[in-house]
Amino acid sequence: MFLSADYSQIDLRVLAHYSQDKALMGAFRAGEDIHARTAAEIFGVTPLLITAEMRRVAKSINFGIVYGMSSFGLSEQLNIGRKEAQTFIDRYFRLYEGVRRFMDDIVAQARRDGFVATLLGRRRHLPDIASSNRVQREFAERTAINTPIQGTAADILKRAMIDAHAALASLRASGRPPARMILTVHDELLFEAERGAADEVAALVRTRMERAVDLRV
């Protein structure tokens, strides 16, 4: 049978780790719905009044921030006015002030060093970060913000794959029912396992994925 194991909102967890934003970290530690929490703030309503559409908008903003999305990009994605999109973004940063500081700090660091790095030290050089061409400079700034987040998420998946593969090889060597990793899709790993061994494999995989990198959340 197929076994699917995916990280819960890995990009936003990595963002919480880097930014150390109190509201974002607190929401994860309390097991809250991050998108619903953001929706309540940007629409100014209680969580009980959040609709599916409000949550969809908040989700777009939560992930859009990770990609360095501008008010123009958000307005295009949600089919709303640019002024309204900017209002949503402003409200987001009032809720998650630490995220704004992280973004400003990482861009400043990129200008100083000429590169940014993932949590495990993988570097991405940004020669255009000081370019006189505004389009090139702003793209480099968005890359500076995005790389530590998505790059670290990718590093976590790679380390989890290495660790899970080794654990499954050990399982097979001991004569236990076979299982193998067959695919990765962004933040998800897919395995093929004998039906009777699925629960054991799931527990093994979960442990390796959760321990791949130690995050604050």
Side-chain angles (χ1 to χ4, degrees), residues 21-187:
D21 181 89
K22 291 182 180 178
L24 194 55
M25 291 176 70
F28 273 122
R29 287 171 176 168
E32 294 182 33
D33 182 328
I34 299 294
H35 303 315
R37 179 188 175 95
T38 301
E41 177 67 21
I42 65 174
F43 287 104
V45 299
T46 68
L48 294 175
L49 297 178
I50 297 301
T51 65
E53 178 60 19
M54 288 177 177
R55 189 180 183 280
R56 184 186 73 84
V57 170
K59 185 175 182 179
S60 294
I61 295 171
N62 278 334
F63 287 112
I65 293 298
V66 174
Y67 301 127
M69 183 182 287
S70 65
S71 58
F72 174 76
L74 184 63
S75 68
E76 289 284 297
Q77 181 170 321
L78 297 177
N79 195 28
I80 59 176
R82 190 168 180 176
K83 185 176 180 180
E84 185 180 10
Q86 186 60 54
T87 297
F88 286 158
I89 291 174
D90 291 342
R91 289 175 180 171
Y92 174 94
F93 284 126
R94 279 202 297 271
L95 175 61
Y96 304 121
E97 293 178 349
V99 174
R100 174 82 273 175
R101 283 194 299 272
F102 159 72
M103 293 171 67
D104 292 340
D105 289 349
I106 198 69
V107 170
Q109 180 252 302
R111 288 200 184 98
R112 183 180 67 249
D113 299 336
F115 68 86
V116 291
T118 67
L119 196 60
L120 299 187
R122 189 159 51 91
R123 292 185 178 186
R124 181 163 185 174
H125 291 270
L126 300 165
D128 292 331
I129 196 71
S131 174
S132 59
N133 183 302
R134 183 177 63 86
V135 173
Q136 292 179 340
R137 184 177 64 253
E138 290 180 352
F139 179 78
E141 290 172 352
R142 290 194 297 274
T143 303
I145 294 167
N146 177 251
T147 295
I149 308 301
Q150 283 201 299
T152 294
D155 284 353
I156 292 171
L157 261 292
K158 290 170 186 173
R159 178 169 283 181
M161 283 191 284
I162 291 169
D163 293 347
H165 174 76
L168 293 177
S170 177
L171 197 67
R172 286 194 298 272
S174 67
R176 312 281 273 285
R180 61 180 181 142
M181 180 165 42
I182 58 173
L183 190 66
T184 175
V185 184
H186 185 50
D187 58 357

